[in-house]
Amino acid sequence: MKRTRFTEEQIIGVLKEAEAGAKTADLARRHGVSEATIYNWKAKYGGLEVSDAKRLRALEDENAKLKRLLAEAMLDNAGLKDLLAKNW
């Protein structure tokens, strides 16, 4: 999984600067990211506070863990079905 150079706190700080009236091009240049990155951040983190962003990250991590567990269970289930089909 790709790691970001910026924490949620930093991203929200940049977005607060944008809300305060700073131009996107100036922000992008100052922080070393593209304008598209700032727009993507707005789409994901727009209107969030730092605590909300941390909670979002925790929920995303938990969701990924649960999806992996489900995939493993489904794979085991399919293997058992194939084994039973061969026996009959």
Side-chain angles (χ1 to χ4, degrees):
M1 182 187 222
K2 183 176 154 187
R3 289 296 302 164
T4 178
R5 296 185 319 181
F6 296 93
T7 63
E8 286 91 2
E9 294 88 2
Q10 293 170 328
I11 292 170
I12 292 173
V14 171
L15 293 178
K16 295 225 184 263
E17 288 179 45
E19 289 175 3
K23 293 185 178 181
T24 306
D26 295 337
L27 285 174
R29 193 175 316 111
R30 188 176 331 136
H31 294 286
V33 296
S34 69
E35 289 184 48
T37 299
I38 292 179
Y39 289 119
N40 286 336
W41 287 349
K42 279 184 187 178
K44 185 170 183 180
Y45 297 104
L48 293 180
E49 295 296 325
V50 175
S51 60
D52 296 334
K54 286 184 179 181
R55 185 168 178 263
L56 176 66
R57 173 71 67 170
L59 289 173
E60 286 175 345
D61 291 343
E62 183 181 0
N63 192 25
K65 177 183 167 187
L66 291 173
K67 283 183 178 181
R68 278 193 303 274
L69 288 173
L70 178 64
E72 289 174 3
M74 290 176 72
L75 188 61
D76 290 343
N77 192 8
L80 290 174
K81 282 183 180 180
D82 287 343
L83 185 63
L84 286 174
K86 288 181 183 176
N87 286 338
W88 291 99

